[in-house]
Amino acid sequence: MPRIHIIGVGGYLPERVMTNKDLEAIVDTDDQWIFERTGIRQRHIISEGEHTSDLAAAAARQALDDAGLTIADIDALIVATTTPDMIFPSTASIVQSKLGASGFPAWDIQAVCSGFVYGLAHADAMMRGGMFRRVLLIGAESMSRIMDWTDRSTCVLFGDGAGAVVLEARDAGDEPQGGIIGSVLKADGSYRPLLMARHPHPGASPDMPDMAVDAAGVAAVEMQGNEVFRNAVNKLGEVVGDVLAHCHMQPSDVDLLIPHQANIRIINATAKKLKLGTENIAITVEKHANTSAASVPLALNTYYREGKIRKGQVLLLEAFGAGFVWGANLLRWSKD
Ligand code: COA
């Protein structure tokens, strides 16, 4: 059976930066509160006329470049997003077209903030089964479009962006230790009232009548922050242990934790459980905020481009999101 390797990495952040100071003019908040509670100082915001598919396509181009490939070398395209351009068609099919391609399969994954971790497990299984040789996997979000900009407890937390990887199936004999080692995915939909953005279509959620909408009538994120926080810490703590056990590895085998970038305190709780020092944790939440499905690949891209990921290192990726859905992937970096 082949092993699946990351052979190209890319990212894209919209030009416009919104700092905590900028937010002080919008809601009753301050830089100190936001930074102390979340570790966030700024976030990038998509511009008018730009769409999730544009962010995704930009990240994909950089990942293809990094792999030394073009879109013609790709056999399938997956976009993990919770902020698609439209209800349908899928953002993946729009991205495929924007990249100038057609023919090969393209589809979206909706696992909210865990979308990239789910996507990596998904692609790994399909590729090991022989269905595709090269897959372009993208996490892309325009979370600013589903914010209630009058709700200070949510609008300060999120940002926009995209991250992408090119995956390649290689004969296991060539690099028996490298590539994706294993994944664990979890979901429990009974937690859905704690974090959601309801469907804007009237009548779509009959069991949830008091739908929150922003001024433009668009469904907005609603969250019970304390409960989400508590569950994220517990469930991420469990799932990193589960993926290590699944792969017969120890916390001491992990060289770099690439966590979902929602809150520095959640990240530190997981790192503490694994007994990892600051130098072993990828942290981008300060500059990116929570970019949902884009957060893990954007952190991967940032650390990769800063030369902080070396061949042979073991990377532990984890994420937690609405549903709840959560999961983790272990991989050994095989790229120079
Ligand atoms: N600025 C200033 N004060 C704020 C604020 C803001 N942006 N947002 C909330 N507050 C206030 C609250 O109104 C509350 O005031 P009160 O005590 O007078 O009622 C106070 O701060 C404390 O609120 P609380 O919700 O208890 O704070 P917290 O320590 O739980 O931190 C979060 C809030 C949102 C940062 C935290 O709960 C969190 O990070 N949760 C997880 C969020 C997350 O990761 N979601 C995505 C998962 S994928």
Side-chain angles (χ1 to χ4, degrees):
M1 203 178 273
R3 285 180 74 104
I4 312 311
H5 299 255
I6 293 178
I7 62 161
V9 190
Y12 178 78
L13 290 158
E15 217 167 284
R16 182 174 163 214
V17 171
M18 184 187 277
T19 64
N20 292 349
K21 281 266 167 231
D22 296 332
L23 274 166
E24 289 177 9
I26 301 174
V27 283
D28 180 15
T29 191
D30 58 83
D31 176 51
Q32 192 188 346
W33 189 96
I34 301 172
F35 186 67
E36 281 179 7
R37 301 290 177 111
T38 69
I40 298 167
R41 285 273 192 217
Q42 63 167 56
R43 70 283 297 138
H44 289 251
I45 304 287
I46 196 165
S47 61
E48 219 179 305
E50 215 175 9
H51 302 284
T52 296
S53 61
D54 297 311
L55 313 187
R61 283 189 198 99
Q62 194 180 42
L64 285 167
D65 251 22
D66 186 49
L69 299 174
T70 71
I71 191 68
D73 300 307
I74 296 299
D75 307 317
L77 191 159
I78 306 172
V79 175
T81 186
T82 195
T83 46
D85 288 17
M86 301 183 224
I87 292 173
F88 67 80
S90 71
T91 303
S93 62
I94 299 170
V95 173
Q96 182 194 50
S97 167
K98 286 187 176 176
L99 292 173
S102 63
F104 59 77
W107 68 97
D108 287 2
I109 288 186
Q110 161 57 302
V112 205
C113 298
S114 299
F116 185 83
V117 166
Y118 261 60
L120 202 60
H122 195 96
D124 178 43
M126 294 180 95
M127 294 171 82
R128 273 189 290 115
M131 217 168 156
F132 307 113
R133 177 155 175 255
R134 290 197 189 113
V135 171
L136 184 51
L137 171 65
I138 310 166
E141 301 280 13
S142 41
M143 295 302 286
S144 64
R145 295 251 160 89
I146 57 164
M147 285 301 121
D148 175 351
W149 288 100
T150 64
D151 178 6
R152 68 177 181 175
S153 69
T154 52
C155 74
V156 303
L157 303 175
F158 294 89
D160 304 332
V165 294
V166 179
L167 300 167
E168 185 174 77
R170 291 191 188 151
D171 191 338
D174 296 343
E175 285 167 276
Q177 303 298 321
I180 298 171
I181 304 165
S183 302
V184 170
L185 304 179
K186 303 272 184 182
D188 185 341
S190 67
Y191 289 100
R192 66 193 180 281
L194 298 180
L195 178 56
M196 60 187 159
R198 289 178 239 216
H199 202 296
H201 182 65
S205 308
D207 57 329
M208 297 173 180
D210 54 343
M211 183 166 88
V213 290
D214 69 7
V218 174
V221 170
E222 303 163 63
M223 181 174 68
Q224 291 179 34
N226 280 329
E227 282 300 301
V228 174
F229 186 95
R230 199 173 54 79
N231 275 283
V233 168
N234 290 341
K235 291 183 168 42
L236 285 171
E238 276 169 26
V239 83
V240 293
D242 289 349
V243 78
L244 285 165
H246 174 68
C247 299
H248 309 290
M249 294 176 82
Q250 306 297 321
S252 55
D253 294 322
V254 177
D255 295 300
L256 185 64
L257 174 69
I258 306 193
H260 174 45
Q261 307 285 322
N263 184 314
I264 191 69
R265 294 184 293 142
I266 299 175
I267 294 172
N268 286 340
T270 310
K272 192 172 166 197
K273 160 129 194 178
L274 294 168
K275 299 192 171 68
L276 292 176
T278 322
E279 67 286 1
N280 302 109
I281 319 165
I283 298 170
T284 52
V285 66
E286 182 174 349
K287 291 192 170 157
H288 300 173
N290 182 350
T291 57
S292 189
S295 100
V296 168
L298 266 174
L300 174 71
N301 182 56
T302 303
Y303 272 59
Y304 169 66
R305 282 177 195 278
E306 288 175 359
K308 291 179 181 162
I309 303 178
R310 287 181 301 281
K311 194 168 179 173
Q313 285 188 326
V314 171
L315 273 49
L316 172 47
L317 280 49
E318 48 89 328
F320 176 88
F324 295 133
V325 290
W326 65 105
N329 323 104
L330 261 180
L331 59 98
R332 193 181 298 273
W333 197 250
S334 50
K335 197 170 154 43
D336 289 319

